[in-house]
């Protein structure tokens, strides 16, 4: 599964939050041919204003996520997607830091994956 996050800033360790999680789940057969693709997108209310600089990068504004669920409401869905999967992300450590912190806030640990690939 390939995934990406959009965030309120660059510092997961300093209070920045996830505002979008998107993933493409790939299903393969025994010969490793992709047989099905499933898209997942979660807009997330970070419970803070999105800085103008972050909106310039992601295109997501505070009002765009004002009525979206908070991370706690989608945490189980995202955790289940990542769990037992080969997960792929560009600059994996960035997304990992944000997801790990968001999971920690809701009492979850990073899920057990089959592998983690940084593009």
């Amino acid at each position: 599964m390939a995934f990406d996050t959009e965030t309120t800033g660059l510092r997961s360790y300093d209070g920045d939050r996830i505002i979008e999680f998107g993933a493409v789940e790939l299903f393969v057969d025994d010969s490793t041919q992709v047989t099905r693709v499933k898209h997942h997108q979660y807009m997330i209310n970070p419970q803070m204003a999105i800085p103008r600089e972050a909106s310039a990068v992601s295109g997501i504004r505070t009002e765009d996520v004002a009525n979206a669920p908070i991370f706690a409401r989608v945490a189980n869905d995202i955790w289940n997607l990542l769990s037992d999967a080969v997960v792929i992300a560009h600059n994996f450590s960035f997304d990992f830091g944000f997801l790990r912190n968001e999971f920690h806030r809701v009492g979850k640990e990073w899920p057990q994956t089959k592998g983690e690939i940084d593009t």
Side-chain angles (χ1 to χ4, degrees), residues 75 78-85 87 96 99-100 103 108-116:
I78 294 171
W79 192 91
N80 287 332
L81 284 172
L82 298 169
S83 185
D84 203 32
V87 293
F96 172 77
L99 285 164
R100 183 186 60 212
F103 285 136
K108 290 185 154 308
E109 296 295 323
W110 178 253
Q112 181 67 40
T113 64
K114 287 185 178 176
E116 298 162 354

